[in-house]
Coordinates of all heavy atoms in Angstrom, one line a residue:
M1 N 0.9 -1.2 0.0 CA 0.0 0.0 0.0 C 0.9 1.2 0.0 O 0.5 2.2 -0.6 CB -0.9 0.0 1.2 CG -2.0 -1.0 1.2 SD -3.3 -1.2 2.4 CE -2.6 -0.8 3.9
E2 N 1.9 1.2 0.7 CA 2.9 2.3 0.8 C 3.5 2.6 -0.6 O 3.7 3.8 -1.0 CB 4.0 2.1 1.8 CG 3.5 2.1 3.2 CD 4.5 1.6 4.2 OE1 5.4 0.9 3.8 OE2 4.5 2.1 5.3
R3 N 3.9 1.6 -1.4 CA 4.4 1.7 -2.6 C 3.4 2.4 -3.7 O 3.7 3.3 -4.4 CB 4.9 0.4 -3.2 CG 5.3 0.4 -4.6 CD 6.5 1.3 -4.8 NE 7.0 1.3 -6.2 CZ 6.8 2.4 -7.0 NH1 6.3 3.5 -6.6 NH2 7.2 2.4 -8.2
V4 N 2.1 2.0 -3.6 CA 1.1 2.5 -4.4 C 0.9 4.0 -4.2 O 0.7 4.8 -5.1 CB -0.2 1.7 -4.4 CG1 -1.4 2.3 -5.1 CG2 0.0 0.3 -4.8
L5 N 1.0 4.4 -2.9 CA 0.7 5.8 -2.6 C 2.0 6.6 -2.7 O 1.9 7.9 -2.5 CB 0.2 5.8 -1.1 CG -1.3 5.4 -1.0 CD1 -1.6 5.4 0.5 CD2 -2.2 6.1 -1.8
G6 N 3.2 6.0 -2.9 CA 4.4 6.7 -3.0 C 5.0 7.1 -1.7 O 5.9 8.0 -1.6
I7 N 4.6 6.4 -0.6 CA 5.3 6.7 0.6 C 6.7 6.1 0.7 O 7.7 6.7 1.1 CB 4.4 6.1 1.8 CG1 3.1 6.7 1.9 CG2 5.1 6.2 3.1 CD1 2.1 6.1 2.8
K8 N 6.9 4.9 0.2 CA 8.1 4.2 0.0 C 8.3 3.7 -1.3 O 7.4 3.3 -1.9 CB 8.2 3.1 1.1 CG 8.4 3.5 2.5 CD 8.6 2.3 3.4 CE 8.8 2.7 4.8 NZ 9.0 1.6 5.7
G9 N 9.6 3.7 -1.8 CA 9.9 3.0 -3.1 C 9.7 3.8 -4.3 O 9.6 3.3 -5.4
G10 N 9.6 5.1 -4.2 CA 9.6 6.0 -5.4 C 8.2 6.6 -5.6 O 7.5 6.8 -4.6
E11 N 7.9 7.1 -6.8 CA 6.7 7.7 -7.1 C 5.5 6.9 -6.9 O 5.5 5.7 -7.1 CB 6.7 8.2 -8.5 CG 7.5 9.5 -8.8 CD 6.9 10.7 -8.1 OE1 5.6 10.9 -8.3 OE2 7.7 11.4 -7.4
A12 N 4.4 7.5 -6.6 CA 3.1 6.8 -6.5 C 2.7 6.2 -7.8 O 2.8 6.9 -8.8 CB 2.1 7.8 -5.9
I13 N 2.2 5.0 -7.8 CA 1.7 4.3 -9.0 C 0.2 4.3 -9.2 O -0.2 3.9 -10.3 CB 2.4 2.9 -9.1 CG1 2.0 2.1 -7.9 CG2 3.8 3.0 -9.2 CD1 2.4 0.6 -8.0
G14 N -0.5 4.6 -8.1 CA -2.0 4.5 -8.2 C -2.6 5.8 -7.7 O -3.8 5.8 -7.2
K15 N -1.9 6.9 -7.7 CA -2.4 8.0 -7.1 C -3.7 8.6 -7.7 O -4.4 9.3 -7.0 CB -1.3 9.1 -7.1 CG -1.5 10.3 -6.3 CD -0.3 11.2 -6.4 CE -0.3 12.3 -5.5 NZ 0.9 13.2 -5.4
F16 N -3.9 8.4 -8.9 CA -5.1 8.9 -9.5 C -6.1 7.9 -10.1 O -7.0 8.3 -10.7 CB -4.7 9.8 -10.8 CG -3.7 10.9 -10.4 CD1 -2.4 10.9 -10.7 CD2 -4.2 12.0 -9.6 CE1 -1.6 11.9 -10.3 CE2 -3.3 13.0 -9.2 CZ -2.1 13.0 -9.6
N17 N -5.9 6.7 -9.7 CA -6.8 5.6 -10.1 C -7.8 5.4 -9.0 O -7.5 4.9 -7.9 CB -6.0 4.3 -10.3 CG -6.9 3.3 -10.9 OD1 -8.0 3.1 -10.5 ND2 -6.4 2.5 -11.8
R18 N -9.0 5.8 -9.2 CA -10.1 5.7 -8.1 C -10.3 4.3 -7.6 O -10.3 4.0 -6.4 CB -11.4 6.2 -8.7 CG -12.5 6.2 -7.7 CD -13.8 6.8 -8.2 NE -14.8 6.9 -7.2 CZ -15.7 6.1 -6.9 NH1 -15.9 5.0 -7.6 NH2 -16.6 6.3 -5.9
N19 N -10.3 3.3 -8.5 CA -10.5 2.0 -8.0 C -9.3 1.5 -7.1 O -9.5 0.8 -6.1 CB -10.6 1.0 -9.2 CG -12.0 1.3 -9.9 OD1 -12.9 1.7 -9.3 ND2 -12.0 1.1 -11.2
V20 N -8.2 1.8 -7.5 CA -7.0 1.4 -6.6 C -7.1 2.1 -5.3 O -6.8 1.5 -4.2 CB -5.7 1.7 -7.4 CG1 -4.5 1.6 -6.5 CG2 -5.5 0.9 -8.6
L21 N -7.4 3.3 -5.3 CA -7.5 4.1 -4.0 C -8.6 3.6 -3.2 O -8.5 3.5 -1.9 CB -7.7 5.5 -4.2 CG -6.5 6.3 -4.9 CD1 -6.9 7.7 -5.4 CD2 -5.3 6.3 -4.0
I22 N -9.7 3.1 -3.7 CA -10.8 2.5 -2.9 C -10.3 1.2 -2.3 O -10.6 0.9 -1.2 CB -12.0 2.4 -3.7 CG1 -12.7 3.7 -4.0 CG2 -13.1 1.5 -3.1 CD1 -13.9 3.7 -5.0
A23 N -9.6 0.4 -3.1 CA -9.0 -0.8 -2.6 C -8.0 -0.6 -1.5 O -8.1 -1.4 -0.5 CB -8.4 -1.6 -3.8
I24 N -7.3 0.4 -1.6 CA -6.3 0.7 -0.5 C -7.0 1.1 0.7 O -6.7 0.6 1.8 CB -5.2 1.8 -1.0 CG1 -4.3 1.2 -2.0 CG2 -4.5 2.3 0.2 CD1 -3.4 2.2 -2.6
A25 N -8.0 1.9 0.6 CA -8.7 2.4 1.7 C -9.5 1.2 2.4 O -9.6 1.2 3.6 CB -9.7 3.5 1.3
T26 N -10.0 0.4 1.6 CA -10.7 -0.9 2.1 C -9.7 -1.7 2.8 O -10.0 -2.3 3.9 CB -11.4 -1.7 0.9 OG1 -12.3 -0.8 0.3 CG2 -12.1 -2.8 1.5
A27 N -8.5 -2.0 2.3 CA -7.5 -2.7 3.0 C -7.1 -2.0 4.2 O -6.9 -2.8 5.3 CB -6.3 -2.9 2.1
A28 N -7.0 -0.7 4.3 CA -6.8 0.0 5.6 C -7.8 -0.3 6.6 O -7.6 -0.5 7.7 CB -6.6 1.5 5.3
I29 N -9.1 -0.3 6.2 CA -10.2 -0.7 7.1 C -10.0 -2.1 7.6 O -10.1 -2.4 8.8 CB -11.6 -0.6 6.4 CG1 -11.9 0.8 6.1 CG2 -12.7 -1.3 7.2 CD1 -13.1 1.0 5.2
N30 N -9.6 -3.0 6.7 CA -9.5 -4.4 7.2 C -8.3 -4.5 8.2 O -8.4 -5.2 9.2 CB -9.2 -5.3 6.0 CG -10.4 -5.5 5.1 OD1 -11.5 -5.3 5.6 ND2 -10.2 -5.8 3.9
F31 N -7.2 -3.8 7.9 CA -6.1 -3.8 8.8 C -6.4 -3.1 10.2 O -6.0 -3.6 11.3 CB -4.8 -3.1 8.3 CG -4.1 -4.1 7.3 CD1 -3.9 -3.6 6.0 CD2 -3.6 -5.3 7.7 CE1 -3.2 -4.5 5.1 CE2 -2.9 -6.1 6.8 CZ -2.7 -5.8 5.6
S32 N -7.2 -2.1 10.1 CA -7.6 -1.4 11.3 C -8.5 -2.3 12.2 O -8.5 -2.3 13.5 CB -8.3 -0.1 11.1 OG -9.6 -0.3 10.4
I33 N -9.3 -3.2 11.5 CA -10.1 -4.1 12.3 C -9.3 -5.1 13.0 O -9.5 -5.5 14.1 CB -11.2 -4.7 11.4 CG1 -12.2 -3.6 11.0 CG2 -11.9 -5.9 12.1 CD1 -13.2 -4.1 10.0
L34 N -8.2 -5.5 12.3 CA -7.3 -6.4 13.0 C -6.6 -5.8 14.3 O -6.5 -6.4 15.2 CB -6.1 -6.8 12.0 CG -6.4 -7.9 11.0 CD1 -5.2 -8.1 10.1 CD2 -6.7 -9.2 11.7
V35 N -6.3 -4.5 14.1 CA -5.8 -3.8 15.3 C -6.9 -3.8 16.4 O -6.6 -4.0 17.6 CB -5.4 -2.4 14.9 CG1 -5.1 -1.5 16.2 CG2 -4.2 -2.4 14.0
H36 N -8.1 -3.5 16.0 CA -9.1 -3.3 17.0 C -9.6 -4.7 17.6 O -9.7 -4.7 18.9 CB -10.4 -2.7 16.3 CG -11.5 -2.4 17.2 ND1 -11.4 -1.3 18.2 CD2 -12.7 -2.9 17.4 CE1 -12.5 -1.3 18.9 NE2 -13.3 -2.3 18.5
K37 N -9.8 -5.7 16.8 CA -10.3 -6.9 17.4 C -9.3 -7.9 17.8 O -9.4 -8.6 18.9 CB -11.1 -7.6 16.2 CG -12.4 -6.9 15.9 CD -13.4 -7.1 16.9 CE -14.7 -6.5 16.4 NZ -15.7 -6.6 17.3
E38 N -8.2 -8.0 17.1 CA -7.2 -9.1 17.4 C -5.9 -8.6 17.9 O -5.1 -9.3 18.4 CB -7.0 -9.9 16.1 CG -8.2 -10.5 15.5 CD -8.8 -11.5 16.4 OE1 -8.1 -12.3 17.1 OE2 -10.0 -11.8 16.3
N39 N -5.7 -7.2 17.8 CA -4.4 -6.7 18.3 C -3.1 -7.4 17.6 O -2.2 -7.6 18.2 CB -4.3 -6.7 19.8 CG -3.3 -5.6 20.3 OD1 -3.0 -4.7 19.6 ND2 -2.9 -5.8 21.5
L40 N -3.3 -7.6 16.3 CA -2.3 -8.3 15.6 C -1.2 -7.4 14.9 O -0.1 -8.0 14.5 CB -2.9 -9.2 14.5 CG -3.8 -10.3 14.9 CD1 -4.4 -11.0 13.7 CD2 -3.0 -11.3 15.7
L41 N -1.3 -6.2 15.0 CA -0.2 -5.3 14.3 C 0.7 -4.7 15.4 O 0.2 -4.3 16.4 CB -0.9 -4.1 13.5 CG -1.7 -4.7 12.3 CD1 -2.3 -3.4 11.7 CD2 -1.0 -5.5 11.3
S42 N 2.0 -4.7 15.1 CA 2.9 -4.1 16.0 C 2.6 -2.5 16.1 O 2.1 -1.9 15.1 CB 4.3 -4.4 15.6 OG 4.6 -3.8 14.4
P43 N 3.3 -1.8 17.0 CA 3.1 -0.4 17.0 C 3.7 0.3 15.7 O 3.1 1.2 15.3 CB 3.9 0.0 18.2 CG 3.8 -1.2 19.2 CD 3.8 -2.3 18.3
S44 N 4.8 -0.3 15.2 CA 5.3 0.3 13.9 C 4.4 0.1 12.8 O 4.2 0.9 11.9 CB 6.7 -0.2 13.7 OG 6.6 -1.6 13.4
D45 N 3.7 -1.1 12.8 CA 2.7 -1.3 11.7 C 1.5 -0.5 11.8 O 0.9 0.0 10.9 CB 2.3 -2.8 11.7 CG 3.4 -3.7 11.3 OD1 4.3 -3.2 10.5 OD2 3.3 -4.9 11.6
R46 N 1.1 -0.1 13.1 CA 0.0 0.8 13.3 C 0.4 2.1 12.8 O -0.5 2.9 12.2 CB -0.4 0.9 14.8 CG -1.0 -0.4 15.3 CD -1.3 -0.2 16.7 NE -1.7 -1.6 17.2 CZ -1.7 -1.9 18.5 NH1 -1.3 -1.1 19.4 NH2 -2.0 -3.1 18.8
Q47 N 1.6 2.6 13.0 CA 2.1 3.9 12.6 C 2.1 3.9 11.1 O 1.7 4.9 10.5 CB 3.5 4.2 13.1 CG 4.0 5.5 12.7 CD 3.2 6.7 13.2 OE1 2.7 6.6 14.4 NE2 2.9 7.7 12.4
R48 N 2.5 2.8 10.4 CA 2.4 2.8 9.0 C 1.0 2.9 8.4 O 0.7 3.6 7.5 CB 3.1 1.5 8.4 CG 4.6 1.5 8.7 CD 5.2 0.1 8.4 NE 5.0 -0.2 7.0 CZ 5.3 -1.4 6.6 NH1 5.7 -2.4 7.5 NH2 5.3 -1.7 5.3
L49 N 0.1 2.3 9.2 CA -1.3 2.3 8.7 C -1.9 3.8 8.9 O -2.6 4.2 8.1 CB -2.1 1.4 9.6 CG -3.6 1.2 9.3 CD1 -3.9 0.8 7.8 CD2 -4.3 0.2 10.2
L50 N -1.5 4.4 10.0 CA -1.9 5.8 10.1 C -1.3 6.7 9.1 O -2.0 7.6 8.6 CB -1.5 6.3 11.6 CG -2.3 5.7 12.7 CD1 -1.7 6.1 14.0 CD2 -3.8 6.0 12.6
N51 N 0.0 6.5 8.6 CA 0.6 7.2 7.6 C -0.2 7.0 6.3 O -0.5 8.0 5.5 CB 2.0 6.8 7.3 CG 2.9 7.3 8.5 OD1 2.6 8.2 9.2 ND2 4.0 6.7 8.7
I52 N -0.6 5.8 6.0 CA -1.4 5.5 4.8 C -2.7 6.2 4.8 O -3.1 6.9 3.8 CB -1.5 4.0 4.6 CG1 -0.2 3.3 4.3 CG2 -2.6 3.7 3.6 CD1 -0.2 1.8 4.4
T53 N -3.4 6.1 5.9 CA -4.7 6.8 6.0 C -4.5 8.4 5.9 O -5.4 9.0 5.3 CB -5.6 6.4 7.2 OG1 -4.7 6.6 8.4 CG2 -5.9 5.0 7.2
G54 N -3.4 8.8 6.5 CA -3.2 10.2 6.4 C -3.0 10.8 5.0 O -3.5 11.8 4.6
I55 N -2.2 9.9 4.3 CA -2.0 10.4 2.8 C -3.3 10.3 2.1 O -3.6 11.2 1.3 CB -1.1 9.3 2.2 CG1 0.4 9.5 2.8 CG2 -1.0 9.5 0.7 CD1 1.0 10.8 2.4
L56 N -4.2 9.3 2.3 CA -5.4 9.2 1.6 C -6.3 10.5 2.0 O -7.0 11.0 1.1 CB -6.2 7.9 2.0 CG -5.6 6.7 1.4 CD1 -6.4 5.4 2.0 CD2 -5.8 6.6 -0.1
L57 N -6.3 10.9 3.2 CA -7.2 11.9 3.7 C -6.6 13.3 3.2 O -7.4 14.2 2.8 CB -7.2 12.0 5.2 CG -8.1 10.9 5.8 CD1 -7.9 10.8 7.3 CD2 -9.6 10.9 5.4
R58 N -5.3 13.4 3.0 CA -4.7 14.7 2.6 C -4.8 14.9 1.2 O -5.0 16.0 0.8 CB -3.2 14.7 3.0 CG -2.9 15.8 4.0 CD -1.3 15.9 4.2 NE -0.7 14.6 3.9 CZ 0.0 13.9 4.8 NH1 0.0 14.2 5.9 NH2 0.7 12.8 4.3
E59 N -4.6 13.9 0.3 CA -4.5 14.1 -1.0 C -5.6 13.7 -1.9 O -5.5 13.8 -3.1 CB -3.2 13.4 -1.5 CG -1.9 13.8 -0.9 CD -0.7 13.1 -1.3 OE1 -0.8 12.2 -2.1 OE2 0.4 13.5 -0.8
Q60 N -6.7 13.3 -1.4 CA -7.8 12.8 -2.2 C -9.0 13.6 -2.0 O -9.3 14.2 -1.0 CB -8.2 11.3 -1.9 CG -7.0 10.4 -2.0 CD -6.3 10.5 -3.5 OE1 -7.0 10.5 -4.4 NE2 -5.1 10.5 -3.5
S61 N -9.9 13.7 -3.1 CA -11.2 14.4 -3.0 C -12.3 13.5 -3.3 O -13.4 13.9 -3.1 CB -11.1 15.6 -4.0 OG -11.0 15.1 -5.3
D62 N -12.2 12.2 -3.6 CA -13.2 11.3 -3.9 C -13.8 11.0 -2.5 O -13.2 10.6 -1.6 CB -12.6 10.0 -4.5 CG -13.7 9.1 -5.0 OD1 -14.2 9.2 -6.0 OD2 -14.0 8.2 -4.1
S63 N -15.1 11.1 -2.5 CA -15.9 10.8 -1.2 C -15.9 9.4 -0.8 O -15.8 9.2 0.4 CB -17.4 11.3 -1.4 OG -18.0 10.5 -2.4
E64 N -15.8 8.5 -1.6 CA -15.7 7.1 -1.1 C -14.4 6.8 -0.6 O -14.2 6.1 0.5 CB -16.0 6.1 -2.3 CG -16.1 4.7 -1.9 CD -17.4 4.4 -1.1 OE1 -18.3 5.1 -1.2 OE2 -17.2 3.3 -0.4
V65 N -13.3 7.2 -1.2 CA -12.0 7.1 -0.6 C -11.9 7.8 0.8 O -11.3 7.2 1.7 CB -10.9 7.6 -1.6 CG1 -9.5 7.5 -0.9 CG2 -10.9 6.8 -2.9
L66 N -12.3 9.0 0.9 CA -12.3 9.7 2.1 C -13.1 9.0 3.2 O -12.6 8.9 4.4 CB -12.8 11.1 1.9 CG -11.9 12.0 1.1 CD1 -12.6 13.4 0.8 CD2 -10.6 12.3 1.8
Y67 N -14.3 8.5 2.8 CA -15.2 7.9 3.8 C -14.4 6.6 4.4 O -14.4 6.4 5.6 CB -16.5 7.5 3.2 CG -17.3 6.6 4.1 CD1 -18.0 7.2 5.2 CD2 -17.5 5.2 3.8 CE1 -18.8 6.4 6.0 CE2 -18.2 4.4 4.7 CZ -18.9 5.0 5.8 OH -19.7 4.3 6.6
R68 N -13.9 5.7 3.5 CA -13.3 4.6 3.9 C -12.0 4.8 4.7 O -11.8 4.2 5.7 CB -12.9 3.7 2.7 CG -14.2 3.1 2.1 CD -13.8 2.4 0.8 NE -15.1 2.0 0.1 CZ -15.5 0.7 -0.1 NH1 -14.7 -0.2 0.3 NH2 -16.6 0.6 -0.7
A69 N -11.3 5.9 4.3 CA -10.1 6.2 5.1 C -10.4 6.8 6.5 O -9.7 6.5 7.5 CB -9.3 7.3 4.3
L70 N -11.5 7.5 6.6 CA -11.9 8.0 7.9 C -12.4 6.9 8.8 O -12.2 6.8 10.0 CB -13.1 9.0 7.8 CG -12.7 10.4 7.3 CD1 -13.8 11.3 6.9 CD2 -11.8 11.1 8.3
V71 N -13.1 5.9 8.3 CA -13.5 4.7 9.0 C -12.2 3.9 9.5 O -12.2 3.6 10.7 CB -14.4 3.8 8.1 CG1 -14.6 2.4 8.9 CG2 -15.7 4.4 7.8
A72 N -11.3 3.8 8.7 CA -10.0 3.1 9.1 C -9.3 3.9 10.2 O -8.9 3.3 11.2 CB -9.1 2.9 7.9
L73 N -9.2 5.1 10.0 CA -8.5 6.0 11.0 C -9.3 6.0 12.3 O -8.7 5.9 13.4 CB -8.5 7.5 10.5 CG -7.8 8.5 11.4 CD1 -6.4 8.1 11.6 CD2 -8.0 9.9 10.8
G74 N -10.6 6.1 12.3 CA -11.4 6.0 13.5 C -11.3 4.8 14.2 O -11.2 4.7 15.5
T75 N -11.2 3.7 13.5 CA -11.1 2.4 14.1 C -9.8 2.2 14.8 O -9.7 1.7 15.9 CB -11.3 1.2 13.1 OG1 -12.6 1.4 12.5 CG2 -11.2 -0.1 13.7
V76 N -8.7 2.6 14.2 CA -7.4 2.6 14.8 C -7.3 3.5 16.0 O -6.8 3.1 17.1 CB -6.3 3.0 13.8 CG1 -4.9 3.1 14.4 CG2 -6.2 1.9 12.7
L77 N -7.8 4.7 15.9 CA -7.7 5.6 17.0 C -8.6 5.2 18.2 O -8.3 5.4 19.4 CB -8.1 7.0 16.5 CG -7.1 7.7 15.6 CD1 -7.7 9.0 15.1 CD2 -5.8 7.8 16.2
S78 N -9.7 4.5 17.9 CA -10.6 4.0 19.0 C -9.9 3.0 19.8 O -10.0 2.9 21.0 CB -11.9 3.5 18.5 OG -11.7 2.4 17.8
T79 N -9.0 2.2 19.2 CA -8.2 1.2 19.8 C -7.2 1.8 20.7 O -6.9 1.4 21.8 CB -7.5 0.2 18.8 OG1 -8.7 -0.3 18.0 CG2 -6.7 -0.8 19.5
A80 N -6.5 2.9 20.2 CA -5.5 3.6 20.8 C -6.0 4.2 22.2 O -5.4 4.3 23.2 CB -4.8 4.7 20.0
K81 N -7.3 4.7 22.2 CA -7.8 5.3 23.4 C -8.1 4.2 24.5 O -8.0 4.5 25.6 CB -9.2 6.0 23.0 CG -9.0 7.2 22.2 CD -10.3 7.8 21.9 CE -10.2 9.0 21.1 NZ -11.5 9.6 20.7
A82 N -8.4 3.0 24.0 CA -8.7 2.0 25.0 C -7.5 1.4 25.7 O -7.7 0.8 26.8 CB -9.4 0.7 24.2
K83 N -6.4 1.8 25.3 CA -5.1 1.2 26.0 C -4.5 2.3 26.9 O -4.6 3.3 26.8 CB -4.2 0.7 24.9 CG -4.7 -0.4 24.2 CD -3.7 -0.9 23.3 CE -4.3 -2.2 22.7 NZ -3.4 -3.0 22.0

């Protein structure tokens, strides 16, 4: 996901493809649920997930991408408050 958004490994390869961005945001939701339900991600992985959702929220205007990124962000942050 980081490579597609251009966080690591060079230029973003899916920055303007709506379907790719929706898929990344959906994957971010799935990973955030793992954090919330199973606590399976390490703190560094959680930080990476927050970086991914931050990029999605900062650089996109598509409502579906923004909605899914906000759901992922809220799920991760709700877990952080519980600890």
Side-chain angles (χ1 to χ4, degrees):
M1 292 190 316
E2 292 171 329
R3 173 65 180 105
V4 173
L5 292 174
I7 297 172
K8 288 187 179 178
E11 279 295 310
I13 57 175
K15 192 173 187 177
F16 301 108
N17 186 322
R18 181 178 190 263
N19 293 328
V20 170
L21 294 171
I22 289 173
I24 290 173
T26 302
I29 291 171
N30 292 338
F31 282 121
S32 68
I33 291 170
L34 280 176
V35 169
H36 184 72
K37 294 283 186 184
E38 304 292 333
N39 203 17
L40 292 178
L41 297 180
S42 68
S44 65
D45 289 337
R46 289 181 194 158
Q47 182 61 44
R48 291 170 66 191
L49 183 58
L50 290 173
N51 288 340
I52 290 167
T53 56
I55 292 292
L56 288 172
L57 291 171
R58 240 188 339 246
E59 297 182 359
Q60 302 305 316
S61 60
D62 184 87
S63 61
E64 187 67 24
V65 174
L66 291 173
Y67 173 77
R68 291 172 190 243
L70 284 171
V71 170
L73 179 63
T75 304
V76 171
L77 292 178
S78 70
T79 301
K81 291 180 185 177
K83 293 186 178 193

